[in-house]
Amino acid sequence: YHIADTLRIRGRVRHLIGMEAEILSASNHTFRGAAAAKPIFRFETPDDGVPGVVFERFNVMNFSEGGTVIENASRKDLVIKSVFSWAAGGAYRNEPGAGRLFIEDFCYSDCFQNRGRHQSSKTIFHAQQVWARQFDPEPRFNPAPDMGPRIVNEGGTLWILGYKTEGFGPILVTNQGGRSEVLGGFHYWNSEEEDQKLPKSPAYVVENGEMSLSFVTQRHQEWDPEPYFREVRGGETRDTGREELPGRFGAPSNWARAVPLFISRTEEVH
């Protein structure tokens, strides 16, 4: 299906089942510009008597010139299930006051055929309650911190069971008093260019928030995040590097890491 403008979901709609249909940009589309991108799907508060909306089994593809896949303006529950997407303007964002979000099997990537235009397929949760299972952001061409992290939790509560990533750049930033928990992460540091030399950037960042993490890593290039964890609280910064984390296969010298549990500090540094 080729679309030219935002699809708005509202009224008495309860459940959208795409049956793996591909949603593509039409030749006359209006999804141009990655910054402040126009949403492809916009969910608005449904009518009274509708508790929420389920959005499942869609492939949102090839929005290489702009467009954010989902904008959530609904005060009620939203479920995203079995969705794959790539769009230059990001994967998800919500307006203030949005209701609870439930995610199961959501994979998204950047527009790899148009590296110069993508804004990074980031997800921004703003003061929202989010439960996610099998979450897989893969913006592979995201080498520099200024391209933006995969997920930003701005003052909300985020819980992820099964968090798989590829590529570089920060994979989760928690700030503004947010709380994030990751159980069972798999982070694959890779790139299209075998010899690509990339600037170091942290994997996880928590700034005046809380974070609890459990994950393993894999790589096929000479690259690692530096540091793995960056904690900022009360104007003080504390970094935790790769050498402070256990080796994945039982040897501290092993290049892969296995982190059974990392909990950010909650007290200020004095």
Side-chain angles (χ1 to χ4, degrees):
Y1 299 92
H2 292 80
I3 64 172
D5 209 340
T6 300
L7 298 176
R8 299 176 183 274
I9 294 87
R10 54 192 175 189
R12 299 197 59 78
V13 176
R14 293 172 178 258
H15 202 152
L16 289 85
I17 305 176
M19 296 188 293
E20 286 71 51
E22 290 191 356
I23 308 299
L24 307 170
S25 57
S27 59
N28 63 336
H29 74 86
T30 58
F31 302 102
R32 289 183 169 83
K38 177 182 287 189
I40 300 167
F41 290 90
R42 175 179 165 86
F43 290 84
E44 301 177 357
T45 302
D47 290 349
D48 293 342
V50 179
V53 176
V54 178
F55 179 73
E56 68 169 309
R57 295 172 60 189
F58 281 87
N59 294 318
V60 185
M61 309 289 288
N62 199 25
F63 285 81
S64 59
E65 296 184 77
T68 297
V69 178
I70 294 173
E71 181 178 69
N72 184 6
S74 171
R75 295 189 300 272
K76 298 184 179 180
D77 292 349
L78 175 62
V79 177
I80 301 172
K81 183 177 180 180
S82 300
V83 171
F84 177 79
S85 69
W86 33 289
Y92 175 94
R93 65 175 182 248
N94 66 281
E95 292 190 353
R100 298 180 301 177
L101 176 65
F102 300 89
I103 295 172
E104 181 178 1
D105 188 21
F106 186 16
C107 175
Y108 57 86
S109 185
D110 56 19
C111 296
F112 56 84
Q113 86 286 17
N114 196 348
R115 303 187 208 182
R117 294 193 179 185
H118 83 87
Q119 182 70 11
S120 165
S121 292
K122 68 170 64 174
T123 287
I124 301 176
F125 301 123
H126 177 69
Q128 194 172 22
Q129 290 182 292
V130 182
W131 291 264
R133 183 173 68 175
Q134 197 169 327
F135 205 5
D136 183 12
E138 298 187 8
R140 289 173 291 175
F141 299 111
N142 187 13
D146 61 0
M147 290 301 293
R150 313 299 165 76
I151 297 176
V152 181
N153 174 14
E154 298 179 340
T157 301
L158 170 63
W159 180 87
I160 303 175
L161 175 63
Y163 182 36
K164 185 252 185 179
T165 65
E166 294 191 26
F168 305 107
I171 53 181
L172 175 59
V173 172
T174 302
N175 56 29
Q176 301 179 31
R179 302 173 63 190
S180 300
E181 181 175 10
V182 174
L183 297 172
F186 178 83
H187 305 313
Y188 184 25
W189 317 124
N190 66 341
S191 170
E192 294 293 302
E193 292 83 11
E194 285 289 336
D195 59 348
Q196 189 173 17
K197 302 301 180 183
L198 299 171
K200 296 294 186 180
S201 60
Y204 286 96
V205 179
V206 55
E207 183 174 357
N208 298 319
E210 298 179 30
M211 191 177 285
S212 174
L213 311 166
S214 172
F215 65 89
V216 299
T217 72
Q218 178 78 2
R219 73 178 189 186
H220 70 261
Q221 296 165 273
E222 292 299 319
W223 191 92
D224 257 330
E226 185 57 45
Y228 263 76
F229 308 110
R230 173 160 290 163
E231 303 173 75
V232 181
R233 183 175 296 275
E236 300 289 338
T237 299
R238 181 170 71 182
D239 289 344
T240 302
R242 173 179 175 273
E243 67 280 357
E244 299 179 67
L245 305 176
R248 181 177 170 191
F249 300 108
S253 60
N254 189 276
W255 44 265
R257 302 289 94 180
V259 179
L261 181 63
F262 178 89
I263 300 175
S264 64
R265 70 186 191 277
T266 57
E267 76 284 355
E268 293 189 9
V269 176
H270 298 285

